[in-house]
Amino acid sequence: MGKKPKNRMPISERAKQFSPFAAVTGLERALEKMERELAKIEKIELSEESADKLNRVLSELKKGDRINAEYYCDGEYLRAEGSVTLFDKINRILRIGETSIEFDDLYKIEI
């Protein structure tokens, strides 16, 4: 029969031998980044009719209005819903809650 080890390994140490091993560190993060890059889409150019409609809505908009906005950000289209907390016509920025959106990135607004 085999010998028993003199110094037994504590249970907390034994569990470490079964933990997952990452042979290449950072590979998972690099793959996630590549996946995000591949999922990016091009910004859609608005038709003249859509741009006119968006401009009409923007001309009626005021601080405190509750709106739904769809906008382009970093390769994807996002939605923001809430009250307008900032409407800056000079710098062309719209803020809904904590989300700041440049006018040029807006796709659709519903009041």
Side-chain angles (χ1 to χ4, degrees):
M1 226 194 237
K3 290 183 178 180
K4 286 187 177 180
K6 291 180 183 178
N7 299 326
R8 292 192 67 154
M9 184 184 293
I11 293 174
S12 61
E13 293 295 316
R14 274 190 251 166
K16 289 181 184 177
Q17 65 185 334
F18 299 109
S19 64
F21 173 70
V24 181
T25 58
L27 178 63
E28 190 172 323
R29 268 183 277 138
L31 290 173
E32 287 173 359
K33 182 180 178 185
M34 181 64 74
E35 189 175 313
R36 281 193 307 273
E37 289 294 321
L38 292 173
K40 285 186 177 183
I41 58 175
E42 294 288 321
K43 185 176 179 182
I44 299 168
E45 290 296 321
L46 294 176
S47 66
E48 191 172 322
E49 184 181 317
S50 296
D52 288 341
K53 182 179 177 184
L54 187 60
N55 285 331
R56 277 194 306 276
V57 173
L58 283 171
S59 68
E60 297 170 5
L61 202 61
K62 59 188 178 297
K63 189 175 176 180
D65 284 347
R66 186 149 182 84
I67 64 169
N68 289 321
E70 193 172 331
Y71 62 99
Y72 183 81
C73 179
D74 196 29
E76 62 183 331
Y77 280 89
L78 304 171
R79 288 186 151 270
E81 182 178 338
S83 296
V84 175
T85 55
L86 174 73
F87 185 64
D88 186 348
K89 290 181 182 179
I90 295 169
N91 294 314
R92 300 178 49 82
I93 295 174
L94 171 68
R95 186 175 299 143
I96 303 168
E98 296 296 318
T99 305
S100 292
I101 307 165
E102 293 183 17
F103 285 7
D104 292 338
D105 293 333
L106 286 168
Y107 181 68
K108 187 181 353 178
I109 297 178
E110 297 171 353
I111 298 178

